[in-house]
PDB file of all heavy atoms in Angstrom:
ATOM      1  N   PRO A 247     111.307  99.830  79.254  1.00  0.00           N
ATOM      2  CA  PRO A 247     111.182 100.916  80.232  1.00  0.00           C
ATOM      3  C   PRO A 247     109.745 101.373  80.475  1.00  0.00           C
ATOM      4  O   PRO A 247     109.466 101.964  81.523  1.00  0.00           O
ATOM      5  CB  PRO A 247     112.012 102.042  79.610  1.00  0.00           C
ATOM      6  CG  PRO A 247     113.001 101.350  78.734  1.00  0.00           C
ATOM      7  CD  PRO A 247     112.255 100.179  78.170  1.00  0.00           C
ATOM      8  N   SER A 248     108.836 101.096  79.525  1.00  0.00           N
ATOM      9  CA  SER A 248     107.447 101.509  79.679  1.00  0.00           C
ATOM     10  C   SER A 248     106.562 100.430  80.287  1.00  0.00           C
ATOM     11  O   SER A 248     105.366 100.657  80.494  1.00  0.00           O
ATOM     12  CB  SER A 248     106.860 101.906  78.316  1.00  0.00           C
ATOM     13  OG  SER A 248     107.600 102.952  77.721  1.00  0.00           O
ATOM     14  N   SER A 249     107.131  99.275  80.582  1.00  0.00           N
ATOM     15  CA  SER A 249     106.334  98.131  81.022  1.00  0.00           C
ATOM     16  C   SER A 249     105.668  98.388  82.369  1.00  0.00           C
ATOM     17  O   SER A 249     106.355  98.609  83.375  1.00  0.00           O
ATOM     18  CB  SER A 249     107.216  96.884  81.133  1.00  0.00           C
ATOM     19  OG  SER A 249     106.531  95.850  81.799  1.00  0.00           O
ATOM     20  N   PRO A 250     104.324  98.307  82.450  1.00  0.00           N
ATOM     21  CA  PRO A 250     103.660  98.452  83.751  1.00  0.00           C
ATOM     22  C   PRO A 250     103.971  97.290  84.681  1.00  0.00           C
ATOM     23  O   PRO A 250     103.971  97.454  85.902  1.00  0.00           O
ATOM     24  CB  PRO A 250     102.172  98.518  83.386  1.00  0.00           C
ATOM     25  CG  PRO A 250     102.062  97.903  82.031  1.00  0.00           C
ATOM     26  CD  PRO A 250     103.358  98.172  81.340  1.00  0.00           C
ATOM     27  N   VAL A 251     104.242  96.121  84.117  1.00  0.00           N
ATOM     28  CA  VAL A 251     104.609  94.962  84.937  1.00  0.00           C
ATOM     29  C   VAL A 251     105.945  95.221  85.621  1.00  0.00           C
ATOM     30  O   VAL A 251     106.094  95.003  86.838  1.00  0.00           O
ATOM     31  CB  VAL A 251     104.677  93.682  84.081  1.00  0.00           C
ATOM     32  CG1 VAL A 251     105.218  92.508  84.906  1.00  0.00           C
ATOM     33  CG2 VAL A 251     103.322  93.349  83.506  1.00  0.00           C
ATOM     34  N   TYR A 252     106.927  95.681  84.845  1.00  0.00           N
ATOM     35  CA  TYR A 252     108.223  95.991  85.449  1.00  0.00           C
ATOM     36  C   TYR A 252     108.060  97.046  86.537  1.00  0.00           C
ATOM     37  O   TYR A 252     108.599  96.907  87.651  1.00  0.00           O
ATOM     38  CB  TYR A 252     109.207  96.491  84.390  1.00  0.00           C
ATOM     39  CG  TYR A 252     110.445  97.103  85.018  1.00  0.00           C
ATOM     40  CD1 TYR A 252     111.441  96.292  85.546  1.00  0.00           C
ATOM     41  CD2 TYR A 252     110.576  98.493  85.141  1.00  0.00           C
ATOM     42  CE1 TYR A 252     112.548  96.850  86.169  1.00  0.00           C
ATOM     43  CE2 TYR A 252     111.683  99.051  85.755  1.00  0.00           C
ATOM     44  CZ  TYR A 252     112.667  98.238  86.271  1.00  0.00           C
ATOM     45  OH  TYR A 252     113.750  98.778  86.901  1.00  0.00           O
ATOM     46  N   ARG A 253     107.336  98.099  86.252  1.00  0.00           N
ATOM     47  CA  ARG A 253     107.206  99.194  87.215  1.00  0.00           C
ATOM     48  C   ARG A 253     106.510  98.727  88.494  1.00  0.00           C
ATOM     49  O   ARG A 253     106.923  99.099  89.599  1.00  0.00           O
ATOM     50  CB  ARG A 253     106.454 100.361  86.577  1.00  0.00           C
ATOM     51  CG  ARG A 253     107.267 101.075  85.507  1.00  0.00           C
ATOM     52  CD  ARG A 253     106.536 102.256  84.902  1.00  0.00           C
ATOM     53  NE  ARG A 253     107.396 102.976  83.962  1.00  0.00           N
ATOM     54  CZ  ARG A 253     107.022 104.051  83.273  1.00  0.00           C
ATOM     55  NH1 ARG A 253     105.796 104.552  83.425  1.00  0.00           N
ATOM     56  NH2 ARG A 253     107.867 104.641  82.435  1.00  0.00           N
ATOM     57  N   GLU A 254     105.482  97.916  88.357  1.00  0.00           N
ATOM     58  CA  GLU A 254     104.771  97.422  89.546  1.00  0.00           C
ATOM     59  C   GLU A 254     105.715  96.640  90.462  1.00  0.00           C
ATOM     60  O   GLU A 254     105.767  96.875  91.679  1.00  0.00           O
ATOM     61  CB  GLU A 254     103.604  96.531  89.114  1.00  0.00           C
ATOM     62  CG  GLU A 254     102.879  95.869  90.276  1.00  0.00           C
ATOM     63  CD  GLU A 254     101.856  94.836  89.822  1.00  0.00           C
ATOM     64  OE1 GLU A 254     101.623  94.723  88.592  1.00  0.00           O
ATOM     65  OE2 GLU A 254     101.315  94.127  90.683  1.00  0.00           O
ATOM     66  N   HIS A 255     106.481  95.721  89.885  1.00  0.00           N
ATOM     67  CA  HIS A 255     107.369  94.885  90.694  1.00  0.00           C
ATOM     68  C   HIS A 255     108.575  95.684  91.200  1.00  0.00           C
ATOM     69  O   HIS A 255     109.042  95.464  92.327  1.00  0.00           O
ATOM     70  CB  HIS A 255     107.815  93.666  89.900  1.00  0.00           C
ATOM     71  CG  HIS A 255     106.743  92.629  89.747  1.00  0.00           C
ATOM     72  ND1 HIS A 255     105.762  92.715  88.788  1.00  0.00           N
ATOM     73  CD2 HIS A 255     106.481  91.497  90.448  1.00  0.00           C
ATOM     74  CE1 HIS A 255     104.942  91.675  88.880  1.00  0.00           C
ATOM     75  NE2 HIS A 255     105.355  90.924  89.886  1.00  0.00           N
ATOM     76  N   ALA A 256     109.091  96.603  90.382  1.00  0.00           N
ATOM     77  CA  ALA A 256     110.227  97.416  90.816  1.00  0.00           C
ATOM     78  C   ALA A 256     109.842  98.308  91.995  1.00  0.00           C
ATOM     79  O   ALA A 256     110.618  98.467  92.950  1.00  0.00           O
ATOM     80  CB  ALA A 256     110.741  98.262  89.654  1.00  0.00           C
ATOM     81  N   LEU A 257     108.648  98.876  91.963  1.00  0.00           N
ATOM     82  CA  LEU A 257     108.221  99.743  93.053  1.00  0.00           C
ATOM     83  C   LEU A 257     107.950  98.949  94.323  1.00  0.00           C
ATOM     84  O   LEU A 257     108.215  99.431  95.436  1.00  0.00           O
ATOM     85  CB  LEU A 257     106.983 100.533  92.638  1.00  0.00           C
ATOM     86  CG  LEU A 257     107.196 101.549  91.515  1.00  0.00           C
ATOM     87  CD1 LEU A 257     105.898 102.262  91.173  1.00  0.00           C
ATOM     88  CD2 LEU A 257     108.261 102.561  91.892  1.00  0.00           C
ATOM     89  N   ALA A 258     107.432  97.730  94.168  1.00  0.00           N
ATOM     90  CA  ALA A 258     107.219  96.884  95.348  1.00  0.00           C
ATOM     91  C   ALA A 258     108.545  96.535  96.011  1.00  0.00           C
ATOM     92  O   ALA A 258     108.663  96.551  97.245  1.00  0.00           O
ATOM     93  CB  ALA A 258     106.470  95.614  94.951  1.00  0.00           C
ATOM     94  N   LEU A 259     109.553  96.217  95.209  1.00  0.00           N
ATOM     95  CA  LEU A 259     110.877  95.910  95.762  1.00  0.00           C
ATOM     96  C   LEU A 259     111.477  97.157  96.409  1.00  0.00           C
ATOM     97  O   LEU A 259     112.057  97.079  97.510  1.00  0.00           O
ATOM     98  CB  LEU A 259     111.793  95.394  94.653  1.00  0.00           C
ATOM     99  CG  LEU A 259     113.245  95.112  95.056  1.00  0.00           C
ATOM    100  CD1 LEU A 259     113.323  94.004  96.097  1.00  0.00           C
ATOM    101  CD2 LEU A 259     114.092  94.763  93.828  1.00  0.00           C
ATOM    102  N   THR A 260     111.364  98.285  95.746  1.00  0.00           N
ATOM    103  CA  THR A 260     111.892  99.538  96.301  1.00  0.00           C
ATOM    104  C   THR A 260     111.280  99.830  97.667  1.00  0.00           C
ATOM    105  O   THR A 260     111.988 100.197  98.622  1.00  0.00           O
ATOM    106  CB  THR A 260     111.614 100.698  95.332  1.00  0.00           C
ATOM    107  OG1 THR A 260     112.288 100.461  94.093  1.00  0.00           O
ATOM    108  CG2 THR A 260     112.079 102.030  95.910  1.00  0.00           C
ATOM    109  N   ARG A 261     109.975  99.659  97.780  1.00  0.00           N
ATOM    110  CA  ARG A 261     109.315  99.916  99.058  1.00  0.00           C
ATOM    111  C   ARG A 261     109.790  98.945 100.132  1.00  0.00           C
ATOM    112  O   ARG A 261     110.044  99.354 101.285  1.00  0.00           O
ATOM    113  CB  ARG A 261     107.791  99.821  98.894  1.00  0.00           C
ATOM    114  CG  ARG A 261     107.022 100.126 100.171  1.00  0.00           C
ATOM    115  CD  ARG A 261     105.530 100.214  99.899  1.00  0.00           C
ATOM    116  NE  ARG A 261     105.216 101.347  99.030  1.00  0.00           N
ATOM    117  CZ  ARG A 261     105.064 102.590  99.456  1.00  0.00           C
ATOM    118  NH1 ARG A 261     105.215 102.884 100.749  1.00  0.00           N
ATOM    119  NH2 ARG A 261     104.775 103.553  98.614  1.00  0.00           N
ATOM    120  N   ALA A 262     109.933  97.677  99.780  1.00  0.00           N
ATOM    121  CA  ALA A 262     110.368  96.686 100.764  1.00  0.00           C
ATOM    122  C   ALA A 262     111.765  97.014 101.290  1.00  0.00           C
ATOM    123  O   ALA A 262     112.031  96.930 102.498  1.00  0.00           O
ATOM    124  CB  ALA A 262     110.342  95.294 100.149  1.00  0.00           C
ATOM    125  N   ILE A 263     112.672  97.407 100.393  1.00  0.00           N
ATOM    126  CA  ILE A 263     114.037  97.746 100.804  1.00  0.00           C
ATOM    127  C   ILE A 263     114.034  99.016 101.649  1.00  0.00           C
ATOM    128  O   ILE A 263     114.713  99.108 102.682  1.00  0.00           O
ATOM    129  CB  ILE A 263     114.937  97.907  99.571  1.00  0.00           C
ATOM    130  CG1 ILE A 263     115.128  96.552  98.864  1.00  0.00           C
ATOM    131  CG2 ILE A 263     116.293  98.484  99.951  1.00  0.00           C
ATOM    132  CD1 ILE A 263     115.879  96.645  97.559  1.00  0.00           C
ATOM    133  N   ALA A 264     113.267 100.014 101.223  1.00  0.00           N
ATOM    134  CA  ALA A 264     113.232 101.283 101.957  1.00  0.00           C
ATOM    135  C   ALA A 264     112.690 101.077 103.368  1.00  0.00           C
ATOM    136  O   ALA A 264     113.232 101.639 104.339  1.00  0.00           O
ATOM    137  CB  ALA A 264     112.385 102.296 101.194  1.00  0.00           C
ATOM    138  N   GLU A 265     111.645 100.291 103.504  1.00  0.00           N
ATOM    139  CA  GLU A 265     111.075 100.068 104.829  1.00  0.00           C
ATOM    140  C   GLU A 265     111.998  99.243 105.704  1.00  0.00           C
ATOM    141  O   GLU A 265     112.063  99.452 106.920  1.00  0.00           O
ATOM    142  CB  GLU A 265     109.709  99.402 104.687  1.00  0.00           C
ATOM    143  CG  GLU A 265     108.661 100.350 104.093  1.00  0.00           C
ATOM    144  CD  GLU A 265     107.313  99.698 103.886  1.00  0.00           C
ATOM    145  OE1 GLU A 265     107.243  98.434 103.952  1.00  0.00           O
ATOM    146  OE2 GLU A 265     106.330 100.426 103.642  1.00  0.00           O
ATOM    147  N   ARG A 266     112.754  98.335 105.095  1.00  0.00           N
ATOM    148  CA  ARG A 266     113.686  97.508 105.865  1.00  0.00           C
ATOM    149  C   ARG A 266     114.838  98.336 106.436  1.00  0.00           C
ATOM    150  O   ARG A 266     115.266  98.112 107.571  1.00  0.00           O
ATOM    151  CB  ARG A 266     114.239  96.399 104.956  1.00  0.00           C
ATOM    152  CG  ARG A 266     115.214  95.449 105.634  1.00  0.00           C
ATOM    153  CD  ARG A 266     114.497  94.447 106.485  1.00  0.00           C
ATOM    154  NE  ARG A 266     115.372  93.424 107.018  1.00  0.00           N
ATOM    155  CZ  ARG A 266     114.939  92.275 107.552  1.00  0.00           C
ATOM    156  NH1 ARG A 266     113.632  92.027 107.582  1.00  0.00           N
ATOM    157  NH2 ARG A 266     115.777  91.392 108.047  1.00  0.00           N
ATOM    158  N   TYR A 267     115.358  99.283 105.645  1.00  0.00           N
ATOM    159  CA  TYR A 267     116.604  99.954 106.034  1.00  0.00           C
ATOM    160  C   TYR A 267     116.424 101.449 106.302  1.00  0.00           C
ATOM    161  O   TYR A 267     117.412 102.183 106.369  1.00  0.00           O
ATOM    162  CB  TYR A 267     117.663  99.726 104.947  1.00  0.00           C
ATOM    163  CG  TYR A 267     117.970  98.255 104.780  1.00  0.00           C
ATOM    164  CD1 TYR A 267     117.546  97.567 103.649  1.00  0.00           C
ATOM    165  CD2 TYR A 267     118.640  97.549 105.771  1.00  0.00           C
ATOM    166  CE1 TYR A 267     117.800  96.212 103.506  1.00  0.00           C
ATOM    167  CE2 TYR A 267     118.903  96.193 105.644  1.00  0.00           C
ATOM    168  CZ  TYR A 267     118.474  95.525 104.505  1.00  0.00           C
ATOM    169  OH  TYR A 267     118.727  94.185 104.381  1.00  0.00           O
ATOM    170  N   ARG A 268     115.197 101.864 106.507  1.00  0.00           N
ATOM    171  CA  ARG A 268     114.914 103.293 106.669  1.00  0.00           C
ATOM    172  C   ARG A 268     115.664 103.915 107.836  1.00  0.00           C
ATOM    173  O   ARG A 268     116.025 105.093 107.798  1.00  0.00           O
ATOM    174  CB  ARG A 268     113.412 103.507 106.845  1.00  0.00           C
ATOM    175  CG  ARG A 268     112.821 102.831 108.090  1.00  0.00           C
ATOM    176  CD  ARG A 268     111.304 102.806 108.082  1.00  0.00           C
ATOM    177  NE  ARG A 268     110.735 104.142 107.989  1.00  0.00           N
ATOM    178  CZ  ARG A 268     109.440 104.362 107.773  1.00  0.00           C
ATOM    179  NH1 ARG A 268     108.604 103.346 107.608  1.00  0.00           N
ATOM    180  NH2 ARG A 268     108.992 105.586 107.722  1.00  0.00           N
ATOM    181  N   GLU A 269     115.936 103.150 108.882  1.00  0.00           N
ATOM    182  CA  GLU A 269     116.615 103.689 110.058  1.00  0.00           C
ATOM    183  C   GLU A 269     118.035 103.173 110.213  1.00  0.00           C
ATOM    184  O   GLU A 269     118.661 103.417 111.251  1.00  0.00           O
ATOM    185  CB  GLU A 269     115.804 103.347 111.318  1.00  0.00           C
ATOM    186  CG  GLU A 269     114.390 103.895 111.329  1.00  0.00           C
ATOM    187  CD  GLU A 269     114.345 105.410 111.259  1.00  0.00           C
ATOM    188  OE1 GLU A 269     115.347 106.058 111.623  1.00  0.00           O
ATOM    189  OE2 GLU A 269     113.306 105.953 110.837  1.00  0.00           O
ATOM    190  N   HIS A 270     118.553 102.461 109.223  1.00  0.00           N
ATOM    191  CA  HIS A 270     119.904 101.919 109.378  1.00  0.00           C
ATOM    192  C   HIS A 270     120.912 103.067 109.400  1.00  0.00           C
ATOM    193  O   HIS A 270     120.937 103.910 108.503  1.00  0.00           O
ATOM    194  CB  HIS A 270     120.240 100.951 108.248  1.00  0.00           C
ATOM    195  CG  HIS A 270     121.412 100.067 108.566  1.00  0.00           C
ATOM    196  ND1 HIS A 270     122.706 100.523 108.574  1.00  0.00           N
ATOM    197  CD2 HIS A 270     121.470  98.751 108.920  1.00  0.00           C
ATOM    198  CE1 HIS A 270     123.521  99.543 108.910  1.00  0.00           C
ATOM    199  NE2 HIS A 270     122.793  98.451 109.125  1.00  0.00           N
TER     200      HIS A 270
END
């Protein structure tokens, strides 16, 4: 849970999904 690698990739995925479906 403290991994900076996990957090970096998780936040990148979160942003990609949010931007894709922000207006759905």
